[in-house]
Amino acid sequence: MPHELRFERALKYDSSKGGIVLPVSLVASGRTIECQARVDTGAEHCLFARSFAENLGLEVESGHPLELGTLTSSFLAFGHVITLQTLNMAFESMVFFPASHEIRRNLLGRNGWLNLIQVGIVAYEDTIYLSPYDRAT
């Protein structure tokens, strides 16, 4: 039996950027930061550069501490609940900011982003389709 999914948004992404990179807005304390983040289905949490937290007026170390691991090492990060916006879809999400300024990756991970959306990817067309999960059909 065939299955059908419907999506509210579609975006052609630039595959030359080394993955699926989307425009993202981080909103907290009446401030908004525009950036780009890579979709990372292997990342357990969303992670953004520490400088973004500071520009939002957040005290990084006052957040929920968590040791995050990579293939080769681990690092300390702090979680803060902010509004995360992607393609005009906004979610209240706990995102993490590293203790170190040296970690500058921006990742959309499973908790705080992927678990809140329905996603479809057609890689040979460089297109990602998204809908909020609560409105997905």
Short mmCIF file of all heavy atoms in Angstrom, two decimals, residues 41-100:
data_model
loop_
_atom_site.label_atom_id
_atom_site.label_comp_id
_atom_site.label_asym_id
_atom_site.label_seq_id
_atom_site.Cartn_x
_atom_site.Cartn_y
_atom_site.Cartn_z
N THR A 41 21.28 14.39 11.63
CA THR A 41 20.43 13.39 12.24
C THR A 41 21.18 12.53 13.24
O THR A 41 20.57 11.82 14.04
CB THR A 41 19.77 12.49 11.18
OG1 THR A 41 20.80 11.84 10.42
CG2 THR A 41 18.88 13.30 10.26
N GLY A 42 22.50 12.59 13.23
CA GLY A 42 23.31 11.86 14.20
C GLY A 42 23.56 12.63 15.48
O GLY A 42 24.02 12.06 16.47
N ALA A 43 23.27 13.92 15.48
CA ALA A 43 23.47 14.74 16.67
C ALA A 43 22.26 14.60 17.60
O ALA A 43 21.12 14.78 17.16
CB ALA A 43 23.67 16.20 16.29
N GLU A 44 22.51 14.28 18.84
CA GLU A 44 21.41 14.11 19.79
C GLU A 44 20.72 15.43 20.10
O GLU A 44 19.52 15.47 20.32
CB GLU A 44 21.93 13.47 21.07
CG GLU A 44 20.82 13.08 22.02
CD GLU A 44 21.32 12.28 23.20
OE1 GLU A 44 22.48 11.82 23.20
OE2 GLU A 44 20.53 12.11 24.14
N HIS A 45 21.49 16.53 20.12
CA HIS A 45 20.96 17.84 20.49
C HIS A 45 21.33 18.89 19.45
O HIS A 45 22.28 18.71 18.69
CB HIS A 45 21.53 18.27 21.86
CG HIS A 45 21.20 17.32 22.95
ND1 HIS A 45 19.97 17.28 23.56
CD2 HIS A 45 21.95 16.36 23.54
CE1 HIS A 45 19.97 16.33 24.47
NE2 HIS A 45 21.16 15.76 24.49
N CYS A 46 20.61 20.01 19.48
CA CYS A 46 20.97 21.16 18.66
C CYS A 46 22.12 21.88 19.34
O CYS A 46 22.14 22.04 20.56
CB CYS A 46 19.78 22.11 18.52
SG CYS A 46 18.36 21.38 17.68
N LEU A 47 23.07 22.33 18.55
CA LEU A 47 24.27 22.99 19.07
C LEU A 47 24.56 24.21 18.22
O LEU A 47 24.52 24.13 16.98
CB LEU A 47 25.46 22.03 19.03
CG LEU A 47 26.79 22.59 19.50
CD1 LEU A 47 26.79 22.72 21.02
CD2 LEU A 47 27.94 21.70 19.05
N PHE A 48 24.84 25.33 18.89
CA PHE A 48 25.18 26.57 18.19
C PHE A 48 26.39 27.20 18.85
O PHE A 48 26.65 27.01 20.04
CB PHE A 48 23.99 27.54 18.21
CG PHE A 48 22.85 27.06 17.37
CD1 PHE A 48 21.87 26.25 17.92
CD2 PHE A 48 22.78 27.38 16.03
CE1 PHE A 48 20.82 25.78 17.14
CE2 PHE A 48 21.74 26.91 15.24
CZ PHE A 48 20.76 26.11 15.80
N ALA A 49 27.14 27.97 18.08
CA ALA A 49 28.35 28.63 18.57
C ALA A 49 28.06 29.48 19.81
O ALA A 49 27.00 30.12 19.91
CB ALA A 49 28.96 29.50 17.47
N ARG A 50 28.98 29.46 20.74
CA ARG A 50 28.84 30.22 21.99
C ARG A 50 28.58 31.70 21.74
O ARG A 50 27.82 32.34 22.47
CB ARG A 50 30.10 30.03 22.83
CG ARG A 50 30.04 30.77 24.15
CD ARG A 50 31.36 30.75 24.89
NE ARG A 50 31.28 31.56 26.08
CZ ARG A 50 31.13 31.09 27.31
NH1 ARG A 50 31.06 29.78 27.52
NH2 ARG A 50 31.05 31.91 28.33
N SER A 51 29.20 32.27 20.73
CA SER A 51 29.03 33.70 20.45
C SER A 51 27.57 34.06 20.21
O SER A 51 27.14 35.17 20.55
CB SER A 51 29.88 34.12 19.25
OG SER A 51 29.48 33.41 18.08
N PHE A 52 26.78 33.13 19.66
CA PHE A 52 25.35 33.41 19.46
C PHE A 52 24.63 33.57 20.79
O PHE A 52 23.78 34.44 20.95
CB PHE A 52 24.69 32.32 18.62
CG PHE A 52 25.19 32.28 17.19
CD1 PHE A 52 25.42 31.07 16.57
CD2 PHE A 52 25.43 33.44 16.47
CE1 PHE A 52 25.88 31.02 15.27
CE2 PHE A 52 25.88 33.40 15.16
CZ PHE A 52 26.11 32.19 14.55
N ALA A 53 24.94 32.71 21.76
CA ALA A 53 24.33 32.82 23.09
C ALA A 53 24.67 34.17 23.71
O ALA A 53 23.80 34.84 24.28
CB ALA A 53 24.80 31.69 23.99
N GLU A 54 25.92 34.55 23.59
CA GLU A 54 26.35 35.83 24.16
C GLU A 54 25.64 36.99 23.48
O GLU A 54 25.21 37.94 24.15
CB GLU A 54 27.86 35.95 24.07
CG GLU A 54 28.57 34.94 24.95
CD GLU A 54 30.07 34.81 24.69
OE1 GLU A 54 30.55 35.33 23.66
OE2 GLU A 54 30.74 34.18 25.54
N ASN A 55 25.48 36.93 22.16
CA ASN A 55 24.78 37.99 21.43
C ASN A 55 23.29 38.02 21.76
O ASN A 55 22.65 39.06 21.60
CB ASN A 55 24.99 37.85 19.93
CG ASN A 55 26.41 38.17 19.51
OD1 ASN A 55 27.12 38.91 20.20
ND2 ASN A 55 26.85 37.62 18.40
N LEU A 56 22.74 36.90 22.21
CA LEU A 56 21.34 36.86 22.65
C LEU A 56 21.18 37.33 24.09
O LEU A 56 20.07 37.41 24.60
CB LEU A 56 20.79 35.43 22.52
CG LEU A 56 20.55 34.93 21.10
CD1 LEU A 56 20.23 33.44 21.11
CD2 LEU A 56 19.42 35.72 20.43
N GLY A 57 22.29 37.60 24.75
CA GLY A 57 22.24 38.05 26.14
C GLY A 57 22.13 36.92 27.15
O GLY A 57 21.79 37.16 28.30
N LEU A 58 22.45 35.70 26.74
CA LEU A 58 22.39 34.55 27.64
C LEU A 58 23.71 34.38 28.38
O LEU A 58 24.78 34.57 27.78
CB LEU A 58 22.09 33.27 26.86
CG LEU A 58 20.80 33.24 26.05
CD1 LEU A 58 20.73 31.98 25.21
CD2 LEU A 58 19.59 33.36 26.96
N GLU A 59 23.64 34.02 29.64
CA GLU A 59 24.84 33.65 30.38
C GLU A 59 25.04 32.15 30.16
O GLU A 59 24.32 31.33 30.74
CB GLU A 59 24.67 33.96 31.86
CG GLU A 59 24.63 35.43 32.18
CD GLU A 59 24.56 35.69 33.66
OE1 GLU A 59 25.15 34.91 34.45
OE2 GLU A 59 23.91 36.67 34.03
N VAL A 60 25.98 31.81 29.31
CA VAL A 60 26.14 30.43 28.84
C VAL A 60 26.19 29.44 29.99
O VAL A 60 25.45 28.47 30.03
CB VAL A 60 27.38 30.30 27.93
CG1 VAL A 60 27.61 28.84 27.56
CG2 VAL A 60 27.20 31.14 26.68
N GLU A 61 27.07 29.67 30.97
CA GLU A 61 27.28 28.71 32.06
C GLU A 61 26.10 28.59 33.02
O GLU A 61 26.07 27.70 33.84
CB GLU A 61 28.56 29.04 32.83
CG GLU A 61 29.84 28.62 32.11
CD GLU A 61 30.27 29.58 31.00
OE1 GLU A 61 29.67 30.66 30.86
OE2 GLU A 61 31.20 29.21 30.26
N SER A 62 25.09 29.46 32.90
CA SER A 62 23.91 29.34 33.76
C SER A 62 22.93 28.30 33.23
O SER A 62 21.95 27.96 33.90
CB SER A 62 23.20 30.69 33.90
OG SER A 62 22.56 31.04 32.67
N GLY A 63 23.19 27.76 32.03
CA GLY A 63 22.31 26.77 31.43
C GLY A 63 22.53 25.38 31.98
O GLY A 63 23.38 25.14 32.84
N HIS A 64 21.76 24.44 31.46
CA HIS A 64 21.83 23.03 31.85
C HIS A 64 23.14 22.43 31.31
O HIS A 64 23.32 22.33 30.09
CB HIS A 64 20.62 22.29 31.29
CG HIS A 64 20.65 20.82 31.52
ND1 HIS A 64 20.42 20.26 32.74
CD2 HIS A 64 20.93 19.80 30.67
CE1 HIS A 64 20.53 18.94 32.64
NE2 HIS A 64 20.83 18.65 31.39
N PRO A 65 24.07 22.00 32.19
CA PRO A 65 25.34 21.45 31.71
C PRO A 65 25.17 20.04 31.15
O PRO A 65 24.40 19.23 31.67
CB PRO A 65 26.22 21.45 32.95
CG PRO A 65 25.27 21.36 34.09
CD PRO A 65 24.00 22.05 33.65
N LEU A 66 25.92 19.76 30.08
CA LEU A 66 25.87 18.44 29.46
C LEU A 66 27.19 18.20 28.73
O LEU A 66 27.68 19.08 28.01
CB LEU A 66 24.71 18.36 28.47
CG LEU A 66 24.47 17.02 27.81
CD1 LEU A 66 24.05 15.97 28.83
CD2 LEU A 66 23.40 17.16 26.73
N GLU A 67 27.74 17.03 28.92
CA GLU A 67 28.95 16.62 28.21
C GLU A 67 28.51 16.03 26.88
O GLU A 67 27.76 15.05 26.83
CB GLU A 67 29.72 15.59 29.03
CG GLU A 67 31.11 15.30 28.54
CD GLU A 67 32.11 16.39 28.89
OE1 GLU A 67 31.86 17.20 29.80
OE2 GLU A 67 33.16 16.43 28.22
N LEU A 68 28.92 16.64 25.78
CA LEU A 68 28.58 16.17 24.44
C LEU A 68 29.80 15.48 23.84
O LEU A 68 30.92 15.93 24.03
CB LEU A 68 28.13 17.32 23.55
CG LEU A 68 26.85 18.05 23.99
CD1 LEU A 68 26.57 19.23 23.08
CD2 LEU A 68 25.67 17.09 24.01
N GLY A 69 29.56 14.42 23.11
CA GLY A 69 30.66 13.67 22.52
C GLY A 69 30.69 13.75 21.02
O GLY A 69 29.65 13.89 20.37
N THR A 70 31.89 13.66 20.47
CA THR A 70 32.09 13.55 19.04
C THR A 70 32.78 12.22 18.78
O THR A 70 33.01 11.44 19.71
CB THR A 70 32.97 14.70 18.50
OG1 THR A 70 34.31 14.52 18.98
CG2 THR A 70 32.43 16.06 18.93
N LEU A 71 33.15 11.96 17.56
CA LEU A 71 33.86 10.72 17.25
C LEU A 71 35.20 10.63 17.95
O LEU A 71 35.67 9.56 18.28
CB LEU A 71 34.07 10.59 15.74
CG LEU A 71 32.84 10.29 14.91
CD1 LEU A 71 33.18 10.34 13.43
CD2 LEU A 71 32.25 8.95 15.28
N THR A 72 35.83 11.78 18.19
CA THR A 72 37.19 11.77 18.72
C THR A 72 37.36 12.41 20.09
O THR A 72 38.42 12.27 20.70
CB THR A 72 38.15 12.48 17.74
OG1 THR A 72 37.69 13.83 17.56
CG2 THR A 72 38.18 11.77 16.40
N SER A 73 36.36 13.11 20.59
CA SER A 73 36.53 13.79 21.88
C SER A 73 35.16 14.13 22.48
O SER A 73 34.12 13.76 21.94
CB SER A 73 37.35 15.06 21.72
OG SER A 73 36.64 15.99 20.93
N SER A 74 35.19 14.85 23.59
CA SER A 74 33.95 15.35 24.19
C SER A 74 34.19 16.77 24.67
O SER A 74 35.33 17.21 24.80
CB SER A 74 33.50 14.45 25.34
OG SER A 74 34.44 14.43 26.36
N PHE A 75 33.10 17.48 24.91
CA PHE A 75 33.21 18.86 25.37
C PHE A 75 31.97 19.22 26.18
O PHE A 75 30.92 18.60 26.05
CB PHE A 75 33.39 19.83 24.19
CG PHE A 75 32.25 19.80 23.20
CD1 PHE A 75 31.17 20.68 23.33
CD2 PHE A 75 32.27 18.92 22.14
CE1 PHE A 75 30.13 20.65 22.43
CE2 PHE A 75 31.23 18.88 21.23
CZ PHE A 75 30.16 19.75 21.36
N LEU A 76 32.11 20.22 27.01
CA LEU A 76 31.03 20.68 27.86
C LEU A 76 30.21 21.73 27.11
O LEU A 76 30.76 22.64 26.48
CB LEU A 76 31.60 21.29 29.15
CG LEU A 76 30.59 21.78 30.19
CD1 LEU A 76 29.68 20.64 30.66
CD2 LEU A 76 31.33 22.41 31.36
N ALA A 77 28.89 21.60 27.21
CA ALA A 77 27.97 22.57 26.62
C ALA A 77 26.86 22.85 27.63
O ALA A 77 26.65 22.08 28.58
CB ALA A 77 27.40 22.05 25.31
N PHE A 78 26.15 23.93 27.41
CA PHE A 78 25.08 24.35 28.32
C PHE A 78 23.80 24.59 27.53
O PHE A 78 23.81 25.30 26.52
CB PHE A 78 25.50 25.62 29.07
CG PHE A 78 26.70 25.41 29.94
CD1 PHE A 78 27.98 25.60 29.45
CD2 PHE A 78 26.55 24.98 31.25
CE1 PHE A 78 29.09 25.39 30.25
CE2 PHE A 78 27.65 24.76 32.07
CZ PHE A 78 28.93 24.97 31.56
N GLY A 79 22.70 23.99 28.02
CA GLY A 79 21.42 24.10 27.34
C GLY A 79 20.60 25.28 27.83
O GLY A 79 20.53 25.55 29.03
N HIS A 80 19.97 25.95 26.88
CA HIS A 80 19.07 27.07 27.16
C HIS A 80 17.82 26.90 26.30
O HIS A 80 17.91 26.54 25.13
CB HIS A 80 19.73 28.41 26.82
CG HIS A 80 20.86 28.76 27.73
ND1 HIS A 80 20.68 29.53 28.85
CD2 HIS A 80 22.18 28.45 27.67
CE1 HIS A 80 21.85 29.68 29.45
NE2 HIS A 80 22.78 29.02 28.76
N VAL A 81 16.67 27.21 26.87
CA VAL A 81 15.42 27.18 26.11
C VAL A 81 15.28 28.51 25.39
O VAL A 81 15.27 29.58 26.02
CB VAL A 81 14.21 26.91 27.02
CG1 VAL A 81 12.92 26.98 26.21
CG2 VAL A 81 14.34 25.54 27.69
N ILE A 82 15.21 28.43 24.07
CA ILE A 82 15.04 29.61 23.23
C ILE A 82 13.99 29.28 22.17
O ILE A 82 13.51 28.15 22.09
CB ILE A 82 16.36 30.02 22.54
CG1 ILE A 82 16.81 28.96 21.54
CG2 ILE A 82 17.46 30.29 23.57
CD1 ILE A 82 17.87 29.43 20.57
N THR A 83 13.67 30.25 21.34
CA THR A 83 12.84 29.99 20.17
C THR A 83 13.76 29.75 19.00
O THR A 83 14.65 30.56 18.71
CB THR A 83 11.90 31.18 19.88
OG1 THR A 83 11.05 31.37 21.01
CG2 THR A 83 11.05 30.91 18.64
N LEU A 84 13.57 28.62 18.36
CA LEU A 84 14.35 28.21 17.20
C LEU A 84 13.43 28.27 16.00
O LEU A 84 12.37 27.64 16.00
CB LEU A 84 14.87 26.79 17.43
CG LEU A 84 15.71 26.12 16.35
CD1 LEU A 84 16.98 26.92 16.09
CD2 LEU A 84 16.06 24.70 16.76
N GLN A 85 13.81 29.05 15.00
CA GLN A 85 12.96 29.22 13.83
C GLN A 85 13.67 28.75 12.58
O GLN A 85 14.83 29.11 12.34
CB GLN A 85 12.56 30.69 13.68
CG GLN A 85 11.55 30.93 12.59
CD GLN A 85 11.05 32.36 12.57
OE1 GLN A 85 11.20 33.10 13.54
NE2 GLN A 85 10.44 32.75 11.48
N THR A 86 12.96 27.93 11.79
CA THR A 86 13.47 27.42 10.52
C THR A 86 12.37 27.53 9.49
O THR A 86 11.27 27.00 9.71
CB THR A 86 13.88 25.94 10.64
OG1 THR A 86 14.70 25.75 11.77
CG2 THR A 86 14.63 25.48 9.41
N LEU A 87 12.63 28.22 8.41
CA LEU A 87 11.65 28.37 7.32
C LEU A 87 10.28 28.80 7.85
O LEU A 87 9.25 28.21 7.52
CB LEU A 87 11.54 27.07 6.51
CG LEU A 87 12.82 26.54 5.89
CD1 LEU A 87 12.55 25.26 5.12
CD2 LEU A 87 13.46 27.58 4.99
N ASN A 88 10.25 29.80 8.70
CA ASN A 88 9.03 30.37 9.28
C ASN A 88 8.27 29.41 10.19
O ASN A 88 7.09 29.62 10.46
CB ASN A 88 8.10 30.92 8.19
CG ASN A 88 8.73 32.08 7.47
OD1 ASN A 88 9.39 32.92 8.07
ND2 ASN A 88 8.56 32.12 6.16
N MET A 89 8.92 28.37 10.65
CA MET A 89 8.34 27.49 11.66
C MET A 89 9.13 27.73 12.94
O MET A 89 10.35 27.60 12.95
CB MET A 89 8.44 26.02 11.24
CG MET A 89 7.65 25.68 10.01
SD MET A 89 7.79 23.93 9.55
CE MET A 89 9.53 23.84 9.11
N ALA A 90 8.42 28.08 14.02
CA ALA A 90 9.10 28.41 15.27
C ALA A 90 8.78 27.38 16.34
O ALA A 90 7.63 26.93 16.46
CB ALA A 90 8.68 29.80 15.74
N PHE A 91 9.81 27.02 17.12
CA PHE A 91 9.67 26.03 18.18
C PHE A 91 10.39 26.52 19.43
O PHE A 91 11.47 27.10 19.33
CB PHE A 91 10.33 24.70 17.78
CG PHE A 91 9.93 24.19 16.44
CD1 PHE A 91 10.77 24.34 15.35
CD2 PHE A 91 8.72 23.55 16.26
CE1 PHE A 91 10.41 23.86 14.10
CE2 PHE A 91 8.35 23.06 15.02
CZ PHE A 91 9.20 23.22 13.93
N GLU A 92 9.80 26.28 20.59
CA GLU A 92 10.52 26.46 21.84
C GLU A 92 11.39 25.23 22.00
O GLU A 92 10.88 24.11 22.05
CB GLU A 92 9.55 26.58 23.02
CG GLU A 92 8.76 27.87 23.04
CD GLU A 92 9.63 29.09 23.27
OE1 GLU A 92 10.45 29.07 24.21
OE2 GLU A 92 9.50 30.06 22.51
N SER A 93 12.70 25.42 22.05
CA SER A 93 13.63 24.29 22.07
C SER A 93 14.76 24.54 23.05
O SER A 93 15.20 25.68 23.21
CB SER A 93 14.26 24.08 20.69
OG SER A 93 13.29 23.75 19.73
N MET A 94 15.25 23.45 23.65
CA MET A 94 16.49 23.56 24.40
C MET A 94 17.61 23.30 23.41
O MET A 94 17.69 22.24 22.81
CB MET A 94 16.58 22.57 25.56
CG MET A 94 17.92 22.75 26.30
SD MET A 94 18.11 21.76 27.78
CE MET A 94 17.08 22.66 28.90
N VAL A 95 18.45 24.32 23.23
CA VAL A 95 19.61 24.19 22.38
C VAL A 95 20.85 24.37 23.25
O VAL A 95 20.78 24.97 24.32
CB VAL A 95 19.59 25.19 21.20
CG1 VAL A 95 18.33 25.02 20.37
CG2 VAL A 95 19.72 26.62 21.68
N PHE A 96 21.96 23.86 22.78
CA PHE A 96 23.18 23.87 23.58
C PHE A 96 24.22 24.79 22.95
O PHE A 96 24.29 24.92 21.71
CB PHE A 96 23.72 22.45 23.74
CG PHE A 96 22.88 21.65 24.70
CD1 PHE A 96 21.71 21.05 24.28
CD2 PHE A 96 23.24 21.55 26.03
CE1 PHE A 96 20.92 20.34 25.17
CE2 PHE A 96 22.46 20.84 26.93
CZ PHE A 96 21.30 20.24 26.50
N PHE A 97 24.98 25.41 23.83
CA PHE A 97 26.08 26.29 23.44
C PHE A 97 27.33 25.77 24.14
O PHE A 97 27.32 25.55 25.35
CB PHE A 97 25.80 27.73 23.86
CG PHE A 97 24.53 28.29 23.25
CD1 PHE A 97 23.34 28.26 23.95
CD2 PHE A 97 24.54 28.83 21.98
CE1 PHE A 97 22.17 28.76 23.40
CE2 PHE A 97 23.37 29.34 21.41
CZ PHE A 97 22.18 29.30 22.13
N PRO A 98 28.42 25.57 23.42
CA PRO A 98 29.63 25.02 24.04
C PRO A 98 30.28 26.00 25.00
O PRO A 98 30.18 27.22 24.84
CB PRO A 98 30.54 24.72 22.85
CG PRO A 98 30.06 25.62 21.76
CD PRO A 98 28.60 25.83 21.99
N ALA A 99 30.96 25.45 26.00
CA ALA A 99 31.73 26.29 26.93
C ALA A 99 32.86 26.99 26.18
O ALA A 99 33.21 28.13 26.51
CB ALA A 99 32.28 25.43 28.07
N SER A 100 33.41 26.36 25.19
CA SER A 100 34.56 26.88 24.44
C SER A 100 34.12 27.72 23.24
O SER A 100 33.18 27.35 22.52
CB SER A 100 35.42 25.72 23.94
OG SER A 100 36.40 26.18 23.04
#
